[in-house]
Amino acid sequence: MVMKIAENKTLDSALRALQLIFAIIVMGTDGYAIHAFRGHTAYVHFKFGNFYAYYGVPDAWGFLMFCAGWTVLTVIFHLIAGVRFADRALIGYLRVAVEAVAVLSWLAGFIAVAVQISTDICSAGKHSCGSLTAATVFSGLEWLLFIVTVARTAMLVFNSSRKPKNSTTKPGVDV
């Protein structure tokens, strides 16, 4: 029963399509938040001197954009690897590794951005807060989708019985 769910191509295609759609949504909302934030310069006065400090876009917002781009590459990799190299053991292990990197990246990305929503970086007067909240929600959903697909991929790769390749040499030929 479990292997039937793991081998269901329709379910896999639907999950990959949702991952791609959510990644595009995160790219759009996070990209708008980055564009609307527009860093600012502050004049800082100290006892020992003065300087201008530039406060740019937080790094976590850019990391969330990286996660969305990584998801697009992951979906493309799984489409190509699932069709052409389905019987190769190394490709199966690579599929699990790519999924694991994506799961950990989305977890780190959406937590890092969610922590910054309640700070003064994203106060009520900023225009980017609504889209950043939407990006955080969709990135959390993307993480949940990757939890499901990494479990399915791991079950498929580690529970499958691969047949060894036959030798190309003839039995009576001296080597």
Side-chain angles (χ1 to χ4, degrees), residues 16 19 69-79 98-99 102 146:
R16 299 293 175 198
Q19 285 175 341
W70 178 255
T71 298
V72 172
L73 293 176
T74 300
V75 169
I76 291 170
F77 172 71
H78 281 287
L79 289 176
V98 167
E99 289 271 349
F146 268 106

Side-chain angles (χ1 to χ4, degrees), residues 37-109:
F37 181 75
R38 293 197 177 101
H40 61 279
T41 303
Y43 181 73
V44 181
H45 176 68
F46 284 108
K47 181 176 165 182
F48 302 110
N50 306 326
F51 72 94
Y52 288 97
Y54 179 74
Y55 297 100
V57 176
D59 294 335
W61 300 8
F63 183 71
L64 202 61
M65 188 67 76
F66 162 77
C67 292
W70 178 255
T71 298
V72 172
L73 293 176
T74 300
V75 169
I76 291 170
F77 172 71
H78 281 287
L79 289 176
I80 292 171
V83 173
R84 293 199 56 181
F85 306 106
D87 60 340
R88 305 279 198 268
L90 179 62
I91 297 296
Y93 296 135
L94 280 175
R95 288 175 69 182
V96 173
V98 167
E99 289 271 349
V101 168
V103 165
L104 294 175
S105 296
W106 278 110
L107 178 65

Side-chain angles (χ1 to χ4, degrees), residues 18-32 64-65 68 106 131 134-139 141-142:
L18 278 174
Q19 285 175 341
L20 197 58
I21 290 169
F22 284 1
I24 291 170
I25 291 171
V26 169
M27 276 186 194
T29 54
D30 190 37
Y32 175 75
L64 202 61
M65 188 67 76
W106 278 110
S131 64
T136 306
V137 168
F138 277 103
S139 63
L141 292 173
E142 187 83 56

